[in-house]
Amino acid sequence: MLAVNSETTRRHEYVLKNRIKRPPRPLNAFILYRRDLMNSPEFKDRPTGEKKAKQVSKEIADRWNNENDKMKNVFYALARIANKKHKQIYKNYKF
Protein backbone atom coordinates (compact mmCIF):
# COMPACT_ATOMS: atom_id res chain seq x y z
CA MET A 1 0.00 0.00 0.00
CA LEU A 2 2.89 2.35 0.78
CA ALA A 3 4.44 1.71 -2.63
CA VAL A 4 1.39 2.67 -4.71
CA ASN A 5 0.25 6.21 -5.50
CA SER A 6 -2.68 7.21 -3.34
CA GLU A 7 -6.18 7.61 -4.72
CA THR A 8 -7.24 9.89 -1.86
CA THR A 9 -5.00 12.86 -2.62
CA ARG A 10 -6.03 16.24 -3.98
CA ARG A 11 -3.94 15.55 -7.08
CA HIS A 12 -5.84 12.36 -7.82
CA GLU A 13 -9.17 14.19 -7.46
CA TYR A 14 -7.91 16.98 -9.74
CA VAL A 15 -6.78 14.50 -12.39
CA LEU A 16 -10.16 12.76 -12.36
CA LYS A 17 -12.13 16.01 -12.37
CA ASN A 18 -10.16 17.58 -15.23
CA ARG A 19 -9.58 14.32 -17.12
CA ILE A 20 -5.84 14.76 -17.22
CA LYS A 21 -4.17 11.74 -18.73
CA ARG A 22 -0.64 12.43 -17.50
CA PRO A 23 0.15 9.74 -14.91
CA PRO A 24 1.95 10.51 -11.65
CA ARG A 25 5.67 9.95 -11.31
CA PRO A 26 6.86 6.79 -9.54
CA LEU A 27 7.53 7.22 -5.83
CA ASN A 28 11.16 7.54 -4.74
CA ALA A 29 12.76 6.38 -1.48
CA PHE A 30 12.47 9.72 0.29
CA ILE A 31 8.79 10.16 -0.60
CA LEU A 32 8.07 6.66 0.72
CA TYR A 33 10.00 7.49 3.91
CA ARG A 34 8.04 10.72 4.31
CA ARG A 35 4.72 8.96 3.68
CA ASP A 36 5.60 6.34 6.29
CA LEU A 37 6.53 8.97 8.90
CA MET A 38 3.45 11.09 8.19
CA ASN A 39 1.26 8.06 8.92
CA SER A 40 2.99 7.42 12.25
CA PRO A 41 1.24 8.48 15.47
CA GLU A 42 4.12 10.84 16.21
CA PHE A 43 3.10 13.09 13.32
CA LYS A 44 -0.63 12.36 13.18
CA ASP A 45 -1.24 13.21 16.82
CA ARG A 46 0.58 16.54 16.78
CA PRO A 47 -1.26 19.72 17.68
CA THR A 48 -2.37 21.73 14.65
CA GLY A 49 0.18 24.48 15.26
CA GLU A 50 3.03 21.99 14.89
CA LYS A 51 1.81 20.55 11.57
CA LYS A 52 3.06 23.34 9.31
CA ALA A 53 4.33 21.84 6.05
CA LYS A 54 7.59 23.77 6.01
CA GLN A 55 8.45 22.70 9.56
CA VAL A 56 7.46 19.07 9.04
CA SER A 57 9.32 18.83 5.72
CA LYS A 58 12.51 20.16 7.27
CA GLU A 59 12.24 17.77 10.21
CA ILE A 60 11.68 14.74 7.97
CA ALA A 61 14.52 15.78 5.63
CA ASP A 62 16.87 16.08 8.62
CA ARG A 63 15.83 12.63 9.83
CA TRP A 64 16.39 11.16 6.35
CA ASN A 65 19.87 12.67 6.15
CA ASN A 66 20.77 11.25 9.58
CA GLU A 67 19.17 7.83 8.97
CA ASN A 68 21.46 4.80 8.91
CA ASP A 69 22.15 2.91 5.68
CA LYS A 70 20.10 -0.14 6.70
CA MET A 71 16.94 1.93 7.06
CA LYS A 72 17.59 3.82 3.82
CA ASN A 73 18.15 0.51 1.99
CA VAL A 74 14.68 -0.63 3.10
CA PHE A 75 13.13 2.42 1.48
CA TYR A 76 15.30 2.09 -1.64
CA ALA A 77 13.99 -1.48 -1.96
CA LEU A 78 10.42 -0.19 -1.53
CA ALA A 79 11.11 2.40 -4.24
CA ARG A 80 12.18 -0.37 -6.62
CA ILE A 81 8.93 -2.23 -5.84
CA ALA A 82 6.96 0.98 -6.37
CA ASN A 83 8.71 1.49 -9.68
CA LYS A 84 7.79 -2.04 -10.83
CA LYS A 85 4.14 -1.51 -9.85
CA HIS A 86 4.16 1.86 -11.59
CA LYS A 87 5.44 0.21 -14.79
CA GLN A 88 2.66 -2.37 -14.59
CA ILE A 89 -0.04 0.27 -14.15
CA TYR A 90 1.34 2.85 -16.61
CA LYS A 91 2.95 0.75 -19.33
CA ASN A 92 3.80 3.59 -21.72
CA TYR A 93 4.94 6.10 -19.07
CA LYS A 94 7.83 8.37 -20.01
CA PHE A 95 9.17 11.18 -17.89
Side-chain angles (χ1 to χ4, degrees), residues 43-65:
F43 282 89
K44 274 189 171 182
D45 299 339
R46 283 186 173 189
T48 305
E50 295 179 17
K51 288 185 177 180
K52 293 182 180 175
K54 184 177 180 179
Q55 176 186 356
V56 171
S57 292
K58 174 123 178 68
E59 184 178 338
I60 292 175
D62 289 342
R63 284 188 183 197
W64 176 255
N65 290 330

Side-chain angles (χ1 to χ4, degrees), residues 5-25 89-90 93:
N5 283 313
S6 177
E7 293 182 359
T8 60
T9 61
R10 287 180 290 169
R11 182 187 189 282
H12 182 73
E13 291 173 10
Y14 178 80
V15 167
L16 290 178
K17 181 180 176 183
N18 295 310
R19 297 182 182 170
I20 296 174
K21 301 206 179 193
R22 188 178 68 227
R25 292 174 64 179
I89 297 169
Y90 307 106
Y93 175 78

Side-chain angles (χ1 to χ4, degrees), residues 29-40:
F30 175 73
I31 296 299
L32 292 167
Y33 179 77
R34 179 184 168 86
R35 185 184 278 187
D36 185 51
L37 276 181
M38 290 300 292
N39 285 325
S40 72

